[in-house]
Amino acid sequence: MLVGTTYLTLALGNIVQEMADVIVNAANSSLLGGGGVDGAIHRAGGPAILEECLAIRHRLGCCPTGEAVITTAGRLPARYVVHTVGPVWQGGRSGESELLRAAYWNSLTLAAEYGAATIAFPSISTGAYGYPIEKAAPIALGAARDFAQEYPSFREIRFVLFSERDLSAYRQALGALLPYPQAAPAGTGRSANPTAG
Ligand code: AR6
């Protein structure tokens, strides 16, 4: 889907192999590494990434849920890794959706500040953190669409899914996503953008 000047795309693959200015890590608050995406990024990227994470911890402390920090990408093909912390799924009534959206939004903001034109996300929170992928996919794609609508920073925002099942959940969510703002009905002369008044 094209939103403004940004393509929102889906791919099946391993995030560590993505050619993009920025890849995003599904990290935890400690920034010390872990399993899943986090383990794969630190293994493939080498020790430079952890060293930079340690320096960030030293300077700023832990990374709260919903926020993001940035390091270089060590041996990975990307230029930078944005490390963000998604929420642990607790049933959906503990602010999980807002925190998940914030994780995407803050990652995009930080990557844009570093001049990235392409960014690749894994499906944050839907592994060890247990967020149901059918609920997470519309939030991920909605955040990307809204960011692309507001800022022309990215040429491509890519979602890299690790299984056919995950890809199909994102495909379904992308199909249901409305381009934003919607085209104004012919002849009304009014914008259908709800925030445009
Ligand atoms: N490339 C793309 N997607 C992947 C990859 C990969 N190499 N590996 C797994 N996935 P998770 P979370 C998918 O658990 O839920 C870590 O221990 C996976 O199938 O990596 O945010 C951290 O240190 C799933 O759909 O991240 C944290 O403690 C999605 O990526 C905690 O896990 C996210 O799975 C974060 O949990």
Side-chain angles (χ1 to χ4, degrees):
M1 175 190 283
L2 182 63
V3 181
T5 55
T6 305
Y7 282 98
L8 267 47
T9 63
L10 308 181
L12 187 63
N14 183 340
I15 193 85
V16 302
Q17 292 167 354
E18 290 300 306
M19 304 290 290
D21 296 329
V22 167
I23 63 165
V24 179
N25 183 14
N28 61 61
S29 288
S30 80
L31 298 175
L32 296 179
V37 170
D38 203 5
I41 285 178
H42 282 284
R43 265 196 311 281
I49 299 177
L50 185 58
E51 279 166 29
E52 289 179 52
C53 284
L54 287 169
I56 291 168
R57 255 178 74 105
H58 192 66
R59 250 190 3 260
L60 305 173
C62 290
C63 181
T65 303
E67 298 195 8
V69 301
I70 191 164
T71 66
T72 56
R75 296 192 294 256
L76 299 174
R79 280 168 55 208
Y80 298 104
V81 177
V82 163
H83 306 259
T84 192
V85 183
V88 176
W89 179 254
Q90 292 173 346
R93 295 197 179 153
S94 304
E96 292 96 322
S97 60
E98 291 82 3
L99 288 166
L100 186 61
R101 181 178 163 92
Y104 282 99
W105 192 272
N106 290 327
S107 296
L108 290 162
T109 303
L110 190 52
E113 279 168 16
Y114 276 70
T118 53
I119 183 168
F121 281 97
S123 180
I124 293 162
S125 282
T126 62
Y129 281 180
Y131 209 118
I133 196 152
E134 294 73 18
K135 290 186 165 58
I139 294 169
L141 291 164
R145 173 202 57 195
D146 294 350
F147 193 94
Q149 183 57 45
E150 204 162 326
Y151 305 104
S153 315
F154 295 99
R155 193 169 66 241
E156 183 186 3
I157 302 175
R158 189 183 314 150
F159 292 86
V160 180
L161 292 320
F162 209 43
S163 69
E164 285 287 354
R165 186 185 164 272
D166 289 358
L167 178 62
S168 123
Y170 270 70
R171 272 209 191 105
Q172 203 165 345
L174 188 62
L177 195 73
L178 295 172
Y180 181 83
Q182 295 167 52
T188 62
R190 289 175 54 220
S191 165
N193 180 349
T195 63

